[in-house]
Amino acid sequence: MAVSTSSRAVTAPSRFARLAGWSYRRRWWALALWVLVLAGVTAGSQALGSDYHNDFSLPGTQSQRAVDTLRERAPVRAGDTIQVVVQGAPQARERVEVMLDRVRALPHVADVGSLNEGGGTIGYATVTLDGLAQDVPADDVRRIIDTARAAEGDGLRVELGGDAIRGAEEAEGGAAEGIGLLAALVILVLLFGSLLAASLPIVIAVFAVGSSIGLVVLASHVATIADFTPPLMILVGLGVGIDYALLVFSRYRSELVRDLLAGDPSYAENVNRGPFLAAAARTALDTAGRTVFFAGCTVIIALLGLVALGLGSLRGVAVAVAVTVLVTMVASLTLLPALLAIAGGRIEKGVRKRAAKRSHREGERWRRWATGVRRRKWAAASLSLVALLAVAAPALGMRLGFADAGNDAPSTTSRQAYDLLAEGFGPGFNGPLVLVVEGSEEAAAAAAAASRTTAGVADTVGPLPAGGGVATVLVFPASKPQDARTHDLVVRLRDDVLPPLARQTGATFLVGGSVAAAEDFADAIAGRLPLFLAVVVGLSALLLMVVFRSLLIPVKAAVLNLLSVGASMGVITLVFQHGLLGAQPGPIEAFVPVMIFAIVFGLSMDYEVFLLSRMHEEWERSRDAGAAVREGLATTGRVVTAAAAIMVVVFGAFLLSPDRMLQQFGLGLAVAILLDAVVIRCLLLPAVMYLLGARAWWLPGPVARRLPTVALERP
């Protein structure tokens, strides 16, 4: 039986409707293709393995020039180092020397220094590797750990520190992903009242994330992709995958409910409701599917904007996460219609049962809420704006950097070595600055003398001739590596102490080392951030202007999205920089803010478009600005709240991860989505739209004539 046209206008099918129709009709082919893709990339990635490589190089910075100089003139000094830290009685020294000889014979060990003792029971020996930490295989680093710690016992304690050690003993991701998925499933069951219906968004997310990770593992053999990329892909993929599928599936259910409540005899009497289910799937993809496509493109644009920053590994991470969003978007537009075709009959029965029990119009509570906001629109707008600005204020004092061994779990050998070295040699010993001097021996000696008397310096070692006319001086700060005073020392040496020496001696002085490199990385991000923000916000605003034919809506959307990002940055600063809620104080990971901005801006735009598109539908139909706000909130409030709740629990679950970076990502994304859904979408956005009234949909005539027409939602 043909679908009645009483409930849907007959229009020429769009590309989205045709795509939905193909997936719906060829359901088993579509499912088989996705199974083959997932199985193929998974098998290929497991067969080849991963080849992740961290690239934190920053051409042109002092720290990078120092590394390049040593690599060119004195390769033996260019490799990263490991500290073998021992604590024990003097009589254990012979066993320590035997252990160091064994370490010296291991692969990738270029040199092993003599044992240095600080006058107490704590000593250390420096092991120089033949390359950077990320270039030395983790298995070979673990051999060094095992060989050194085999000497423990009878009063001798051995711990190892250094970037290579931290990389080799990094904890695997815990149960965060599983907890997030379980919590999401519970919310979906409560939303839809059916385990089958609730499982569809989960299935989409699993297919998308699994396929994306397999693709990135394969790509790691031909591109530079950081080893912390997969957890971020899982974090974003699960949230976005469930979110996108939920938006499409919710519209599908709304179409079924509309048919039921319309009382169409042809629907009510038709035993085989297949044509109606197919029409609902096409309409869902032709409406919510467009929103998903637009939102996904916005996230991808924001992430690819990070590539323009030119920050080493950040480019690989951005592309990998963008691929995850792309695959997720494609899965929502192709795999979901196929699953709806397979399970549509059972889902429709559940929809009928719930519709029969419903005694009020869908969204009636949200209509009452919108009416309340309209009566107090000035109060709702001003109070929510002040609250968001207050939460965002701490971000103004955010200090960027990188976690070091002092942030590792107390049970790790890297953290134990860190604490022993700080106890035996001072807090700055864990983050020495490396002065690379190109010039005469006198210039190197002058640099050592000047550094020794500089405020904030605890001690210096050297100059140490490295060959090729190069010498190094180790400068040990009086403060911890992550302390703001150590940052001030780097600036003081570069700007005040060494430039006069360079003019006097004609030598070149470069301040390097891990602490200086972290400062350079943070400065590079801060310096390029304004351009990145301008590009992402500008392109997103332009897209919104084209879609909604409005001048004020894109401005409003950009401001509100920036508020949600700023508030999440404020919370991260309070928790991880100032130690709120028991977190260990320290700097914010340098690339966390830009990644969170790119992801949150896109996801916030997702909800923005979903809500505004329904408002736009009502505005085009009635030309009543107040009714457009009310109906838009009524028809989207429930699904946006559910989608946000799912995102919050998925992202929040990563607070259980042992990795500090993932904790910051999880908290930042969860807070941003929570504030976006509760404060912005429920209060600030409708209040502002009520204040703007019909002006919200105004576009100057000359601009309107030059912009292309893009229909986001079809009636």
Side-chain angles (χ1 to χ4, degrees):
M1 177 179 290
V3 180
S4 169
T5 60
S6 62
S7 60
R8 290 186 183 88
V10 177
T11 59
S14 68
R15 290 185 177 90
F16 290 91
R18 291 198 298 270
L19 179 62
W22 181 89
S23 297
Y24 200 94
R25 292 191 306 273
R26 306 287 190 269
R27 62 200 73 172
W28 295 111
W29 276 106
L31 179 59
L33 284 174
W34 272 102
V35 171
L36 287 174
V37 169
L38 178 60
V41 297
T42 301
S45 62
Q46 290 180 346
L48 289 179
S50 63
D51 188 22
Y52 296 121
H53 177 75
N54 295 338
D55 176 17
F56 295 111
S57 61
L58 285 172
T61 60
Q62 272 205 41
S63 57
Q64 186 62 44
R65 288 167 57 198
V67 170
D68 294 340
T69 299
L70 290 176
R71 190 177 293 163
E72 178 184 351
R73 304 280 190 88
V76 71
R77 294 283 182 88
D80 276 337
T81 59
I82 290 172
Q83 283 73 45
V84 179
V85 187
V86 297
Q87 182 182 37
Q91 55 266 31
R93 184 181 180 95
E94 183 177 345
R95 287 163 49 205
V96 173
E97 295 294 347
V98 172
M99 175 264 289
L100 293 177
D101 287 338
R102 291 174 178 169
V103 170
R104 190 176 286 111
L106 294 176
H108 296 287
V109 174
D111 184 43
V112 177
S114 58
L115 183 65
N116 298 281
E117 297 173 283
T121 61
I122 299 174
Y124 74 95
T126 300
V127 177
T128 303
L129 303 175
D130 62 1
L132 299 179
Q134 61 263 26
D135 298 326
V136 179
D139 289 339
D140 290 326
V141 177
R142 281 189 278 268
R143 285 184 63 186
I144 296 175
I145 297 174
D146 295 339
T147 301
R149 301 199 72 177
E152 280 191 318
D154 295 331
L156 177 64
R157 177 183 174 189
V158 180
E159 306 290 351
L160 293 92
D163 290 339
I165 301 298
R166 295 185 68 217
E169 66 175 356
E170 280 182 349
E172 296 293 330
E177 298 91 337
I179 293 174
L181 281 176
L182 181 61
L185 182 61
V186 171
I187 295 173
L188 287 168
V189 170
L190 293 176
L191 177 66
F192 295 133
S194 164
L195 182 61
L196 175 63
S199 65
L200 294 186
I202 301 289
V203 171
I204 297 297
V206 170
F207 266 90
V209 172
S211 301
S212 301
I213 289 180
L215 289 172
V216 170
V217 168
L218 296 175
S220 68
H221 292 273
V222 295
T224 301
I225 299 176
D227 56 10
F228 54 82
T229 302
L232 292 182
M233 295 174 62
I234 295 173
L235 176 72
V236 176
L238 290 180
V240 171
I242 295 173
D243 192 44
Y244 289 175
L246 176 59
L247 294 182
V248 176
F249 183 65
S250 177
R251 185 61 185 252
Y252 172 76
R253 291 181 71 257
S254 297
E255 291 299 311
L256 295 182
V257 169
R258 188 170 73 169
D259 281 333
L260 287 168
L261 298 182
D264 190 337
S266 62
Y267 180 83
E269 298 170 4
N270 187 15
V271 177
N272 177 21
R273 296 185 173 88
F276 292 90
L277 302 182
R282 288 194 300 271
T283 303
L285 223 66
D286 204 19
T287 51
R290 292 168 181 256
T291 303
V292 166
F293 179 78
F294 177 85
C297 290
T298 305
V299 179
I300 292 170
I301 289 172
L303 287 167
L304 293 182
L306 295 175
V307 177
L309 293 179
L311 297 176
S313 288
L314 194 59
R315 291 178 292 186
V317 175
V319 172
V321 178
V323 167
T324 304
V325 175
L326 176 62
V327 174
T328 301
M329 181 178 68
V330 174
S332 300
L333 299 178
T334 57
L335 179 58
L336 183 56
L339 296 178
L340 291 176
I342 295 171
R346 296 177 60 185
I347 292 174
E348 188 264 351
K349 291 179 181 178
V351 171
R352 272 192 292 148
K353 290 180 181 178
R354 298 199 77 183
K357 297 177 181 178
R358 188 174 294 139
S359 58
H360 56 80
R361 268 198 310 167
E362 185 174 6
E364 197 60 42
R365 293 176 182 174
W366 286 102
R367 289 184 179 88
R368 290 197 297 269
W369 175 265
T371 302
V373 172
R374 184 175 191 176
R375 286 198 298 265
R376 300 173 179 84
K377 50 183 175 291
W378 280 107
S382 57
L383 290 177
S384 55
L385 179 61
V386 169
L388 288 172
L389 290 174
V391 176
L396 297 175
M398 178 183 291
R399 186 164 56 85
L400 302 180
F402 286 102
D404 59 18
N407 302 112
D408 291 348
S411 59
T412 60
T413 187
S414 57
R415 173 63 182 273
Q416 294 292 323
Y418 181 97
D419 292 340
L420 284 175
L421 288 173
E423 177 186 344
F425 300 93
F429 195 85
N430 286 289
L433 305 177
V434 181
L435 303 189
V436 178
V437 183
E438 292 184 86
S440 64
E441 295 181 6
E442 291 77 11
S451 301
R452 192 173 296 113
T453 58
T454 300
V457 174
D459 194 12
T460 62
V461 174
L464 306 172
V470 174
T472 59
V473 178
L474 298 181
V475 179
F476 295 98
S479 51
K480 297 191 300 183
Q482 295 181 355
D483 198 302
R485 291 173 294 177
T486 305
H487 163 76
D488 295 338
L489 175 59
V490 174
V491 175
R492 192 178 302 120
L493 288 172
R494 287 177 170 176
D495 295 349
D496 302 330
V497 177
L498 297 177
L501 286 179
R503 289 191 294 269
Q504 294 171 13
T505 63
T508 300
F509 301 95
L510 302 172
V511 180
S514 60
V515 174
E519 298 293 343
D520 287 339
F521 198 92
D523 290 343
I525 287 181
R528 302 173 195 181
L529 188 58
L531 177 61
F532 167 67
L533 295 179
V535 170
V536 172
V537 174
L539 287 176
S540 301
L542 181 60
L543 287 174
L544 282 178
M545 184 185 299
V546 171
V547 168
F548 292 114
R549 318 290 294 176
S550 166
L551 188 63
L552 295 179
I553 280 180
V555 176
K556 172 199 63 66
V559 172
L560 296 188
N561 289 346
L562 288 173
L563 281 173
S564 66
V565 174
S568 70
M569 292 296 101
V571 173
I572 290 177
T573 303
L574 287 174
V575 172
F576 289 100
Q577 184 172 312
H578 298 293
L580 190 68
L581 303 179
Q584 185 169 357
I588 306 304
E589 297 290 322
F591 47 79
V592 163
V594 290
M595 287 293 296
I596 286 183
F597 173 81
I599 296 168
V600 168
F601 194 85
L603 295 180
S604 297
M605 197 64 74
D606 181 0
Y607 297 145
E608 181 88 15
V609 170
F610 190 63
L611 175 56
L612 287 176
S613 61
R614 301 307 287 269
M615 290 183 182
H616 191 251
E617 278 189 76
E618 182 63 25
W619 166 254
E620 289 292 325
R621 188 187 66 82
S622 66
R623 293 291 163 173
D624 184 336
V629 177
R630 184 182 64 251
E631 291 305 309
L633 200 61
T635 53
T636 64
R638 184 166 175 261
V639 66
V640 166
T641 303
I646 290 169
M647 300 271 268
V648 168
V649 297
V650 170
F651 294 151
F654 279 78
L655 285 169
L656 303 176
S657 170
D659 186 274
R660 180 180 174 90
M661 178 197 68
L662 285 181
Q663 291 174 356
Q664 292 179 6
F665 268 114
L667 178 65
L669 293 173
V671 168
I673 297 301
L674 178 64
L675 293 176
D676 190 86
V678 175
V679 179
I680 292 179
R681 304 302 154 206
C682 294
L683 281 173
L684 189 52
L685 186 146
V688 171
M689 291 296 291
Y690 278 130
L691 290 171
L692 292 176
R695 293 185 298 273
W697 308 104
W698 171 76
L699 185 66
V703 178
R705 287 191 293 271
R706 287 172 172 79
L707 287 180
T709 300
V710 177
L712 186 63
E713 293 282 354
R714 291 165 65 94

